[in-house]
Amino acid sequence: MIAVFYLRTPTDVTLFWPAAGIGFAAVIRYGLVEVLIIPAALLLLHLFVLPVPPLFLAYSLVSNTLATLVAGWYVRRSRQHERRIHLRTSDGFMLLRGGVLLSLVSATLGSVGMLHSGMTPSADIPRVFVQWALGDLLGVTCLEPLLIYLLYQKQDIPTTRIVNRLELLAWCVLVVLMLGLVYLTGKLGSQYPLALASLPLGLLLWSAVRYPPLITLVGTSLVIICVSAMTGLGVGGLDRPQTVHDGVLLMAMLVMYSIIPVLLLASRHEHEYATAALHQRATQDTLTGLLNRDAFEEQARTLLAEGKATLTLLYVDLDHFKLVNDSASHVAGDEMIRGVAALFREEFGGGALIARTGGDEFAVLATLDERAASTRARRLLAAIEKLRVAWQGQNLGTTASIGMATSQPPHQAFDELLSQTDAACFAAKELGGNRSFAAASNPDEIRQRTRAMHTANAAREALDQRRFALWCQPIVDLRDPGPRQSHFEVLVRWFDTDGKLRPPAELVAAAERYRLGPRLDRYVLDATLEWLEQHPEAAARVEQCSINVGGTTLVDEDFGDYVSARLRRSPLRAEQLCLEITETSVVRDMTRARGFIGRMRDLGCRFALDDFGTGFCSFGYLRDLDVDYLKIDGSFVRDLDNAGLSESVVRSITEIAHVLGKRAVAEQAETELQLRQLRDIGVDYAQGYVFQRPRPIEDFFS
């Protein structure tokens, strides 16, 4: 109905055709089939409001319907891989191209129809074509962005703009005043009323920067309708365009006024979208949508600093999750992680901080006391145990271990609370997994484990700064003693940041528990060979150099490559190197242990089975282990004077060693009496304070 008022005669062409924008928006949103509403609406218009010749009626129906169909097809084809229109510049230009295509097709057919039906002479065809095209284009640019936004409703990320109501009210008042000023200027007969039409445009640009999209889109449509009504209809004393030139300039101005604010809005919204996406990526785990570690720690510190209620931190680690990745695939593992994350949301809801802090690790900080947290933890464990992920004919499942620590206000520091939960989670794992462990239930054990974790961190730092020293202790042949520097064991000592020696037992325990063994063993091997390379006179005296290898190193497939490469550039022959492995680490993974021993023996290295007699005490597997020495654990050697059982154990191990073609080494020999007993039993070698205490390698070879 608005377009009808722009017509001065039945053969005139309207300067504003809003139906083009309405139909175009409906086709884009709901599909090409919606184009059928256009001929129905036009038929009603021409029958009851705007009669036209029967011949032109067909052209009118076809031009508007076909143009909208072509433009809709173009837009839908351009975004065939994306189902929705987004408020961004690329989609804005795509819609504009579609609007131009609609205008050109409609104007072409409409102009031909007016000529064919005798409504306009051939000389007026250029005017008709331009006015028709610009009228359709103005209808598209004025109404389509608003309708598309309303039809698609929510955007991907809500706007973060905060609207000041007083400012918004002032903006609305200014828009009305500017439109009123344009009206009054026309009434007063000014020759420059259109100069004031740019004032509402400035307000629209301000809105695009400051306010939510809907305000700008509604404001743009209303301003364009009002300005076009005043200028195109001659309302308020303004003269209607009398020539084609005037009409084209007016309509082009209105089209630009309707495009510029929307493009600025799209650009601004696109920037906000990118900023929000970057913030989301920086704070959320991409796989689960939970908080990531950094965001969780930041929010947890704030909550602990400000919280006045009891808080419980839960640290959750999935048990043997690596088996899921190894037996199925990492894609299956990701599916399992998403399923576990959903269980966390279901159990703790939106009132708690929930994060995925590592590959298979989660954390929760909730306003719960220890009893309530324990109940929730048990329910969560049961849900995780029941969770099944179907993957290529397999039903994959897992369990979890949970460590908990409760804090009362004023709360502990986050790092301290996290350390307690980490230690509690580790305790739950060592108890078999699929259970929860509260730090408060066994504070002594938690303190011990916390110290062990601190030791592991200190050991990592010491490795980084090479705060280690090589010490040596001789291994003496009890039948034919030779120079003590010819056969010895390398022992490692480490220093704290103040340069004080730390107990080696702490280092060994931390290395095994927190998988520092491979790195530490590489360091010791490299440092030993490097020292001998720098002291060739000492290296020439070496017959056998023993170096300990931890259990985690024994199953590290890369360590064998490292030893092989390192020995190739060392003057020390592989036959001079003896690797000491513990009985417990061998039995833990017999297959890998055999593989490692076989590979190293192919190079020429010797092997010693350390601390023998304290592990599984099975002689059966010795036939399958190609080692050269059995090192009898020092606890039996120290008790030789007082315990008949110790003497029997030492004798049995020695006899078994000789039967298998191996040699026995007694550790921690401290007295001459023990040496005599060892010789009487037939032990081949001894090591201990009775010969020499461990000394720095420089002093040992001096």
Side-chain angles (χ1 to χ4, degrees), residues 499-526:
K500 297 179 180 178
L501 275 175
R502 296 283 297 271
E506 290 184 1
L507 177 63
V508 173
E512 286 299 308
R513 177 172 291 178
Y514 297 101
R515 299 189 178 276
L516 296 176
R519 187 180 175 192
L520 177 61
D521 292 342
R522 288 190 185 201
Y523 170 83
V524 174
L525 176 64
D526 184 69

Side-chain angles (χ1 to χ4, degrees), residues 180-190 193 234-238:
L181 187 58
V182 173
Y183 179 84
L184 291 176
T185 303
K187 279 289 188 180
L188 294 175
S190 172
V235 177
L238 298 176

Side-chain angles (χ1 to χ4, degrees), residues 17-33:
W17 187 244
I22 297 173
F24 192 22
V27 168
I28 292 173
R29 178 62 181 89
Y30 297 111
L32 298 179
V33 69

